[in-house]
PDB file of all heavy atoms in Angstrom:
ATOM      1  N   MET A  35       7.431 -17.916  12.943  1.00 84.00           N
ATOM      2  CA  MET A  35       8.213 -16.773  12.225  1.00 84.00           C
ATOM      3  C   MET A  35       7.330 -15.500  12.349  1.00 84.00           C
ATOM      4  O   MET A  35       6.192 -15.444  12.032  1.00 84.00           O
ATOM      5  CB  MET A  35       8.379 -17.207  10.752  1.00 84.00           C
ATOM      6  CG  MET A  35       9.361 -16.390  10.106  1.00 84.00           C
ATOM      7  SD  MET A  35      11.126 -16.774  10.314  1.00 84.00           S
ATOM      8  CE  MET A  35      11.128 -18.525  10.136  1.00 84.00           C
ATOM      9  N   THR A  36       7.987 -14.471  12.861  1.00 95.00           N
ATOM     10  CA  THR A  36       7.290 -13.162  13.057  1.00 95.00           C
ATOM     11  C   THR A  36       7.588 -12.152  11.848  1.00 95.00           C
ATOM     12  O   THR A  36       8.690 -12.214  11.219  1.00 95.00           O
ATOM     13  CB  THR A  36       7.970 -12.459  14.306  1.00 95.00           C
ATOM     14  OG1 THR A  36       7.738 -13.429  15.377  1.00 95.00           O
ATOM     15  CG2 THR A  36       7.224 -11.212  14.633  1.00 95.00           C
ATOM     16  N   LYS A  37       6.597 -11.498  11.520  1.00 97.00           N
ATOM     17  CA  LYS A  37       6.742 -10.444  10.488  1.00 97.00           C
ATOM     18  C   LYS A  37       6.734  -9.024  11.154  1.00 97.00           C
ATOM     19  O   LYS A  37       5.776  -8.806  11.945  1.00 97.00           O
ATOM     20  CB  LYS A  37       5.622 -10.613   9.383  1.00 97.00           C
ATOM     21  CG  LYS A  37       5.790 -11.880   8.604  1.00 97.00           C
ATOM     22  CD  LYS A  37       4.777 -11.931   7.502  1.00 97.00           C
ATOM     23  CE  LYS A  37       5.008 -13.305   6.723  1.00 97.00           C
ATOM     24  NZ  LYS A  37       4.235 -13.358   5.545  1.00 97.00           N
ATOM     25  N   LYS A  38       7.629  -8.318  10.724  1.00 98.00           N
ATOM     26  CA  LYS A  38       7.655  -6.860  11.280  1.00 98.00           C
ATOM     27  C   LYS A  38       7.812  -5.836  10.296  1.00 98.00           C
ATOM     28  O   LYS A  38       8.406  -6.062   9.218  1.00 98.00           O
ATOM     29  CB  LYS A  38       8.779  -6.761  12.238  1.00 98.00           C
ATOM     30  CG  LYS A  38       8.719  -7.701  13.573  1.00 98.00           C
ATOM     31  CD  LYS A  38       9.696  -7.493  14.559  1.00 98.00           C
ATOM     32  CE  LYS A  38       9.475  -8.467  15.671  1.00 98.00           C
ATOM     33  NZ  LYS A  38      10.280  -8.237  16.826  1.00 98.00           N
ATOM     34  N   ILE A  39       7.299  -4.599  10.543  1.00 98.00           N
ATOM     35  CA  ILE A  39       7.420  -3.515   9.668  1.00 98.00           C
ATOM     36  C   ILE A  39       8.203  -2.401  10.478  1.00 98.00           C
ATOM     37  O   ILE A  39       7.724  -2.003  11.544  1.00 98.00           O
ATOM     38  CB  ILE A  39       6.246  -2.917   9.130  1.00 98.00           C
ATOM     39  CG1 ILE A  39       5.409  -3.932   8.321  1.00 98.00           C
ATOM     40  CG2 ILE A  39       6.439  -1.656   8.276  1.00 98.00           C
ATOM     41  CD1 ILE A  39       3.981  -3.439   7.797  1.00 98.00           C
ATOM     42  N   VAL A  40       9.487  -2.137  10.023  1.00 98.00           N
ATOM     43  CA  VAL A  40      10.284  -1.174  10.682  1.00 98.00           C
ATOM     44  C   VAL A  40      10.167   0.172   9.921  1.00 98.00           C
ATOM     45  O   VAL A  40      10.505   0.283   8.773  1.00 98.00           O
ATOM     46  CB  VAL A  40      11.820  -1.605  10.772  1.00 98.00           C
ATOM     47  CG1 VAL A  40      12.538  -0.549  11.530  1.00 98.00           C
ATOM     48  CG2 VAL A  40      11.850  -2.992  11.333  1.00 98.00           C
ATOM     49  N   HIS A  41       9.540   1.182  10.544  1.00 98.00           N
ATOM     50  CA  HIS A  41       9.443   2.483  10.023  1.00 98.00           C
ATOM     51  C   HIS A  41      10.681   3.338  10.248  1.00 98.00           C
ATOM     52  O   HIS A  41      11.134   3.320  11.388  1.00 98.00           O
ATOM     53  CB  HIS A  41       8.208   3.170  10.519  1.00 98.00           C
ATOM     54  CG  HIS A  41       6.972   2.478  10.306  1.00 98.00           C
ATOM     55  ND1 HIS A  41       6.216   2.531   9.135  1.00 98.00           N
ATOM     56  CD2 HIS A  41       6.233   1.580  11.034  1.00 98.00           C
ATOM     57  CE1 HIS A  41       5.097   1.819   9.165  1.00 98.00           C
ATOM     58  NE2 HIS A  41       5.206   1.203  10.266  1.00 98.00           N
ATOM     59  N   LEU A  42      11.172   3.876   9.157  1.00 98.00           N
ATOM     60  CA  LEU A  42      12.513   4.581   9.236  1.00 98.00           C
ATOM     61  C   LEU A  42      12.555   6.106   8.879  1.00 98.00           C
ATOM     62  O   LEU A  42      11.546   6.513   8.340  1.00 98.00           O
ATOM     63  CB  LEU A  42      13.416   3.876   8.301  1.00 98.00           C
ATOM     64  CG  LEU A  42      13.604   2.358   8.549  1.00 98.00           C
ATOM     65  CD1 LEU A  42      14.162   1.684   7.292  1.00 98.00           C
ATOM     66  CD2 LEU A  42      14.619   2.132   9.691  1.00 98.00           C
ATOM     67  N   PHE A  58      20.199  -4.803   8.220  1.00 98.00           N
ATOM     68  CA  PHE A  58      19.173  -5.694   8.824  1.00 98.00           C
ATOM     69  C   PHE A  58      19.354  -7.258   8.425  1.00 98.00           C
ATOM     70  O   PHE A  58      18.995  -8.071   9.193  1.00 98.00           O
ATOM     71  CB  PHE A  58      17.713  -5.296   8.419  1.00 98.00           C
ATOM     72  CG  PHE A  58      17.372  -3.892   9.005  1.00 98.00           C
ATOM     73  CD1 PHE A  58      16.103  -3.307   8.552  1.00 98.00           C
ATOM     74  CD2 PHE A  58      18.015  -3.390   9.971  1.00 98.00           C
ATOM     75  CE1 PHE A  58      15.722  -2.191   9.167  1.00 98.00           C
ATOM     76  CE2 PHE A  58      17.598  -2.205  10.653  1.00 98.00           C
ATOM     77  CZ  PHE A  58      16.448  -1.577  10.132  1.00 98.00           C
ATOM     78  N   LYS A  66      14.304 -12.817   6.097  1.00 98.00           N
ATOM     79  CA  LYS A  66      14.008 -12.071   4.772  1.00 98.00           C
ATOM     80  C   LYS A  66      13.968 -10.572   5.147  1.00 98.00           C
ATOM     81  O   LYS A  66      13.258 -10.132   6.165  1.00 98.00           O
ATOM     82  CB  LYS A  66      12.753 -12.564   4.172  1.00 98.00           C
ATOM     83  CG  LYS A  66      12.316 -11.858   2.812  1.00 98.00           C
ATOM     84  CD  LYS A  66      11.059 -12.497   2.237  1.00 98.00           C
ATOM     85  CE  LYS A  66      10.755 -11.736   1.020  1.00 98.00           C
ATOM     86  NZ  LYS A  66       9.331 -12.317   0.485  1.00 98.00           N
ATOM     87  N   SER A  68      13.017  -6.723   3.090  1.00 98.00           N
ATOM     88  CA  SER A  68      12.546  -5.977   1.996  1.00 98.00           C
ATOM     89  C   SER A  68      12.420  -4.511   2.354  1.00 98.00           C
ATOM     90  O   SER A  68      11.731  -4.230   3.295  1.00 98.00           O
ATOM     91  CB  SER A  68      11.205  -6.476   1.545  1.00 98.00           C
ATOM     92  OG  SER A  68      10.639  -5.687   0.425  1.00 98.00           O
ATOM     93  N   LYS A  73       8.279   4.522   1.018  1.00 98.00           N
ATOM     94  CA  LYS A  73       7.477   4.357   2.164  1.00 98.00           C
ATOM     95  C   LYS A  73       8.330   4.552   3.482  1.00 98.00           C
ATOM     96  O   LYS A  73       7.806   4.617   4.561  1.00 98.00           O
ATOM     97  CB  LYS A  73       6.738   2.946   2.276  1.00 98.00           C
ATOM     98  CG  LYS A  73       5.617   2.782   1.244  1.00 98.00           C
ATOM     99  CD  LYS A  73       4.969   1.455   1.515  1.00 98.00           C
ATOM    100  CE  LYS A  73       3.677   1.306   0.574  1.00 98.00           C
ATOM    101  NZ  LYS A  73       2.973   0.028   0.748  1.00 98.00           N
ATOM    102  N   GLN A  74       9.693   4.565   3.266  1.00 98.00           N
ATOM    103  CA  GLN A  74      10.617   4.785   4.387  1.00 98.00           C
ATOM    104  C   GLN A  74      10.406   3.523   5.425  1.00 98.00           C
ATOM    105  O   GLN A  74      10.131   3.771   6.657  1.00 98.00           O
ATOM    106  CB  GLN A  74      10.403   6.136   5.078  1.00 98.00           C
ATOM    107  CG  GLN A  74      10.839   7.229   4.258  1.00 98.00           C
ATOM    108  CD  GLN A  74      12.341   7.360   4.119  1.00 98.00           C
ATOM    109  OE1 GLN A  74      13.002   7.497   5.165  1.00 98.00           O
ATOM    110  NE2 GLN A  74      12.835   7.217   2.962  1.00 98.00           N
ATOM    111  N   GLU A  75      10.265   2.364   4.924  1.00 98.00           N
ATOM    112  CA  GLU A  75      10.063   1.209   5.791  1.00 98.00           C
ATOM    113  C   GLU A  75      10.828  -0.073   5.326  1.00 98.00           C
ATOM    114  O   GLU A  75      11.164  -0.106   4.185  1.00 98.00           O
ATOM    115  CB  GLU A  75       8.606   0.865   5.966  1.00 98.00           C
ATOM    116  CG  GLU A  75       7.947   0.384   4.712  1.00 98.00           C
ATOM    117  CD  GLU A  75       6.438   0.130   4.855  1.00 98.00           C
ATOM    118  OE1 GLU A  75       5.782   0.764   5.662  1.00 98.00           O
ATOM    119  OE2 GLU A  75       5.993  -0.760   4.082  1.00 98.00           O
ATOM    120  N   ALA A  76      11.020  -0.926   6.285  1.00 98.00           N
ATOM    121  CA  ALA A  76      11.519  -2.357   5.939  1.00 98.00           C
ATOM    122  C   ALA A  76      10.668  -3.323   6.491  1.00 98.00           C
ATOM    123  O   ALA A  76      10.183  -3.217   7.660  1.00 98.00           O
ATOM    124  CB  ALA A  76      13.031  -2.467   6.582  1.00 98.00           C
ATOM    125  N   LYS A  77      10.432  -4.326   5.679  1.00 98.00           N
ATOM    126  CA  LYS A  77       9.550  -5.458   6.050  1.00 98.00           C
ATOM    127  C   LYS A  77      10.558  -6.569   6.404  1.00 98.00           C
ATOM    128  O   LYS A  77      11.435  -6.959   5.603  1.00 98.00           O
ATOM    129  CB  LYS A  77       8.640  -5.946   5.045  1.00 98.00           C
ATOM    130  CG  LYS A  77       7.552  -4.830   4.865  1.00 98.00           C
ATOM    131  CD  LYS A  77       6.514  -5.321   3.861  1.00 98.00           C
ATOM    132  CE  LYS A  77       5.398  -4.241   3.665  1.00 98.00           C
ATOM    133  NZ  LYS A  77       4.400  -4.630   2.644  1.00 98.00           N
ATOM    134  N   ILE A  78      10.437  -7.126   7.663  1.00 98.00           N
ATOM    135  CA  ILE A  78      11.345  -8.209   8.133  1.00 98.00           C
ATOM    136  C   ILE A  78      10.558  -9.417   8.480  1.00 98.00           C
ATOM    137  O   ILE A  78       9.537  -9.360   9.172  1.00 98.00           O
ATOM    138  CB  ILE A  78      12.078  -7.610   9.352  1.00 98.00           C
ATOM    139  CG1 ILE A  78      12.648  -6.241   9.276  1.00 98.00           C
ATOM    140  CG2 ILE A  78      13.179  -8.662   9.853  1.00 98.00           C
ATOM    141  CD1 ILE A  78      13.722  -6.107   8.307  1.00 98.00           C
ATOM    142  N   THR A  79      11.137 -10.503   8.052  1.00 98.00           N
ATOM    143  CA  THR A  79      10.622 -11.929   8.460  1.00 98.00           C
ATOM    144  C   THR A  79      11.773 -12.599   9.221  1.00 98.00           C
ATOM    145  O   THR A  79      12.879 -12.592   8.797  1.00 98.00           O
ATOM    146  CB  THR A  79      10.121 -12.730   7.222  1.00 98.00           C
ATOM    147  OG1 THR A  79       9.289 -11.987   6.511  1.00 98.00           O
ATOM    148  CG2 THR A  79       9.573 -14.000   7.732  1.00 98.00           C
ATOM    149  N   GLY A  80      11.353 -13.050  10.433  1.00 97.00           N
ATOM    150  CA  GLY A  80      12.314 -13.739  11.321  1.00 97.00           C
ATOM    151  C   GLY A  80      12.036 -13.356  12.781  1.00 97.00           C
ATOM    152  O   GLY A  80      10.973 -12.839  13.111  1.00 97.00           O
ATOM    153  N   ASP A  81      12.914 -13.939  13.600  1.00 95.00           N
ATOM    154  CA  ASP A  81      12.789 -13.711  15.016  1.00 95.00           C
ATOM    155  C   ASP A  81      13.902 -12.841  15.511  1.00 95.00           C
ATOM    156  O   ASP A  81      14.967 -13.229  15.762  1.00 95.00           O
ATOM    157  CB  ASP A  81      12.893 -15.091  15.673  1.00 95.00           C
ATOM    158  CG  ASP A  81      11.712 -16.045  15.322  1.00 95.00           C
ATOM    159  OD1 ASP A  81      10.548 -15.473  15.193  1.00 95.00           O
ATOM    160  OD2 ASP A  81      11.934 -17.274  15.043  1.00 95.00           O
ATOM    161  N   VAL A  82      13.568 -11.516  15.627  1.00 95.00           N
ATOM    162  CA  VAL A  82      14.528 -10.532  16.025  1.00 95.00           C
ATOM    163  C   VAL A  82      13.958  -9.566  17.044  1.00 95.00           C
ATOM    164  O   VAL A  82      12.778  -9.161  16.921  1.00 95.00           O
ATOM    165  CB  VAL A  82      14.893  -9.675  14.693  1.00 95.00           C
ATOM    166  CG1 VAL A  82      15.987  -8.767  15.119  1.00 95.00           C
ATOM    167  CG2 VAL A  82      15.341 -10.598  13.701  1.00 95.00           C
ATOM    168  N   ASP A  83      14.630  -9.183  18.035  1.00 95.00           N
ATOM    169  CA  ASP A  83      14.276  -8.331  19.070  1.00 95.00           C
ATOM    170  C   ASP A  83      14.128  -6.932  18.457  1.00 95.00           C
ATOM    171  O   ASP A  83      15.107  -6.459  17.626  1.00 95.00           O
ATOM    172  CB  ASP A  83      15.336  -8.287  20.229  1.00 95.00           C
ATOM    173  CG  ASP A  83      15.003  -7.360  21.358  1.00 95.00           C
ATOM    174  OD1 ASP A  83      14.458  -6.224  21.073  1.00 95.00           O
ATOM    175  OD2 ASP A  83      15.203  -7.771  22.403  1.00 95.00           O
ATOM    176  N   ASP A  84      13.143  -6.084  18.694  1.00 96.00           N
ATOM    177  CA  ASP A  84      12.957  -4.807  18.071  1.00 96.00           C
ATOM    178  C   ASP A  84      14.105  -3.847  18.236  1.00 96.00           C
ATOM    179  O   ASP A  84      14.366  -3.140  17.409  1.00 96.00           O
ATOM    180  CB  ASP A  84      11.613  -4.170  18.746  1.00 96.00           C
ATOM    181  CG  ASP A  84      10.450  -4.869  18.161  1.00 96.00           C
ATOM    182  OD1 ASP A  84      10.426  -5.818  17.453  1.00 96.00           O
ATOM    183  OD2 ASP A  84       9.261  -4.477  18.611  1.00 96.00           O
ATOM    184  N   ALA A  85      14.710  -3.956  19.461  1.00 96.00           N
ATOM    185  CA  ALA A  85      15.859  -3.029  19.802  1.00 96.00           C
ATOM    186  C   ALA A  85      17.008  -3.329  18.833  1.00 96.00           C
ATOM    187  O   ALA A  85      17.887  -2.454  18.562  1.00 96.00           O
ATOM    188  CB  ALA A  85      16.275  -3.220  21.162  1.00 96.00           C
ATOM    189  N   PHE A  87      17.043  -3.547  15.599  1.00 98.00           N
ATOM    190  CA  PHE A  87      17.112  -2.657  14.411  1.00 98.00           C
ATOM    191  C   PHE A  87      17.762  -1.431  14.663  1.00 98.00           C
ATOM    192  O   PHE A  87      18.518  -0.849  13.822  1.00 98.00           O
ATOM    193  CB  PHE A  87      15.563  -2.499  14.000  1.00 98.00           C
ATOM    194  CG  PHE A  87      14.881  -3.892  13.591  1.00 98.00           C
ATOM    195  CD1 PHE A  87      13.765  -4.222  14.338  1.00 98.00           C
ATOM    196  CD2 PHE A  87      15.389  -4.605  12.642  1.00 98.00           C
ATOM    197  CE1 PHE A  87      13.108  -5.363  14.114  1.00 98.00           C
ATOM    198  CE2 PHE A  87      14.680  -5.898  12.361  1.00 98.00           C
ATOM    199  CZ  PHE A  87      13.602  -6.193  13.088  1.00 98.00           C
ATOM    200  N   ALA A  88      17.439  -0.707  15.828  1.00 97.00           N
ATOM    201  CA  ALA A  88      18.198   0.577  16.024  1.00 97.00           C
ATOM    202  C   ALA A  88      19.648   0.332  16.270  1.00 97.00           C
ATOM    203  O   ALA A  88      20.506   1.123  15.823  1.00 97.00           O
ATOM    204  CB  ALA A  88      17.491   1.175  17.288  1.00 97.00           C
ATOM    205  N   VAL A  98      15.265   4.449  13.468  1.00 98.00           N
ATOM    206  CA  VAL A  98      14.061   3.658  13.548  1.00 98.00           C
ATOM    207  C   VAL A  98      12.978   4.671  14.244  1.00 98.00           C
ATOM    208  O   VAL A  98      13.267   5.118  15.300  1.00 98.00           O
ATOM    209  CB  VAL A  98      14.163   2.446  14.351  1.00 98.00           C
ATOM    210  CG1 VAL A  98      12.863   1.639  14.613  1.00 98.00           C
ATOM    211  CG2 VAL A  98      15.213   1.517  13.684  1.00 98.00           C
ATOM    212  N   VAL A  99      11.854   4.768  13.556  1.00 98.00           N
ATOM    213  CA  VAL A  99      10.732   5.523  14.153  1.00 98.00           C
ATOM    214  C   VAL A  99       9.945   4.715  15.065  1.00 98.00           C
ATOM    215  O   VAL A  99       9.668   5.028  16.166  1.00 98.00           O
ATOM    216  CB  VAL A  99       9.801   6.184  12.992  1.00 98.00           C
ATOM    217  CG1 VAL A  99       8.726   6.850  13.632  1.00 98.00           C
ATOM    218  CG2 VAL A  99      10.643   7.071  12.141  1.00 98.00           C
ATOM    219  N   ASN A 100       9.530   3.571  14.566  1.00 97.00           N
ATOM    220  CA  ASN A 100       8.775   2.638  15.307  1.00 97.00           C
ATOM    221  C   ASN A 100       8.802   1.121  14.601  1.00 97.00           C
ATOM    222  O   ASN A 100       9.174   1.033  13.402  1.00 97.00           O
ATOM    223  CB  ASN A 100       7.336   2.978  15.701  1.00 97.00           C
ATOM    224  CG  ASN A 100       6.500   2.992  14.513  1.00 97.00           C
ATOM    225  OD1 ASN A 100       6.833   2.966  13.417  1.00 97.00           O
ATOM    226  ND2 ASN A 100       5.196   3.094  14.775  1.00 97.00           N
ATOM    227  N   VAL A 101       8.489   0.145  15.392  1.00 98.00           N
ATOM    228  CA  VAL A 101       8.400  -1.191  14.803  1.00 98.00           C
ATOM    229  C   VAL A 101       6.973  -1.758  15.092  1.00 98.00           C
ATOM    230  O   VAL A 101       6.473  -1.741  16.159  1.00 98.00           O
ATOM    231  CB  VAL A 101       9.407  -2.190  15.417  1.00 98.00           C
ATOM    232  CG1 VAL A 101       9.415  -3.457  14.915  1.00 98.00           C
ATOM    233  CG2 VAL A 101      10.876  -1.521  15.296  1.00 98.00           C
ATOM    234  N   GLU A 102       6.368  -2.222  13.952  1.00 97.00           N
ATOM    235  CA  GLU A 102       5.079  -2.959  13.991  1.00 97.00           C
ATOM    236  C   GLU A 102       5.262  -4.437  13.945  1.00 97.00           C
ATOM    237  O   GLU A 102       6.004  -4.922  13.066  1.00 97.00           O
ATOM    238  CB  GLU A 102       4.178  -2.511  12.791  1.00 97.00           C
ATOM    239  CG  GLU A 102       3.510  -1.181  12.974  1.00 97.00           C
ATOM    240  CD  GLU A 102       2.664  -1.088  11.585  1.00 97.00           C
ATOM    241  OE1 GLU A 102       1.655  -1.758  11.526  1.00 97.00           O
ATOM    242  OE2 GLU A 102       2.929  -0.167  10.812  1.00 97.00           O
ATOM    243  N   THR A 103       4.494  -5.167  14.742  1.00 95.00           N
ATOM    244  CA  THR A 103       4.594  -6.596  14.508  1.00 95.00           C
ATOM    245  C   THR A 103       3.277  -7.046  13.945  1.00 95.00           C
ATOM    246  O   THR A 103       2.172  -6.672  14.376  1.00 95.00           O
ATOM    247  CB  THR A 103       4.697  -7.337  15.877  1.00 95.00           C
ATOM    248  OG1 THR A 103       5.854  -6.804  16.491  1.00 95.00           O
ATOM    249  CG2 THR A 103       4.793  -8.729  15.809  1.00 95.00           C
ATOM    250  N   LYS A 104       3.389  -7.810  12.832  1.00 87.00           N
ATOM    251  CA  LYS A 104       2.147  -8.253  12.052  1.00 87.00           C
ATOM    252  C   LYS A 104       1.878  -9.689  12.445  1.00 87.00           C
ATOM    253  O   LYS A 104       2.707 -10.488  12.662  1.00 87.00           O
ATOM    254  CB  LYS A 104       2.423  -8.134  10.558  1.00 87.00           C
ATOM    255  CG  LYS A 104       2.588  -6.705  10.142  1.00 87.00           C
ATOM    256  CD  LYS A 104       1.248  -6.045  10.144  1.00 87.00           C
ATOM    257  CE  LYS A 104       1.293  -4.650   9.631  1.00 87.00           C
ATOM    258  NZ  LYS A 104       0.051  -4.021   9.657  1.00 87.00           N
TER     259      LYS A 104
END
Side-chain angles (χ1 to χ4, degrees):
M35 195 79 45
T36 305
K37 293 184 180 185
K38 297 184 180 194
I39 299 175
V40 182
H41 298 275
L42 301 159
F58 289 171
K66 183 178 176 184
S68 174
K73 290 185 176 182
Q74 294 284 299
E75 68 183 26
K77 292 183 179 179
I78 312 294
T79 302
D81 296 316
V82 184
D83 183 317
D84 291 358
F87 300 118
V98 175
V99 175
N100 70 345
V101 179
E102 279 182 69
T103 301
K104 293 287 182 179

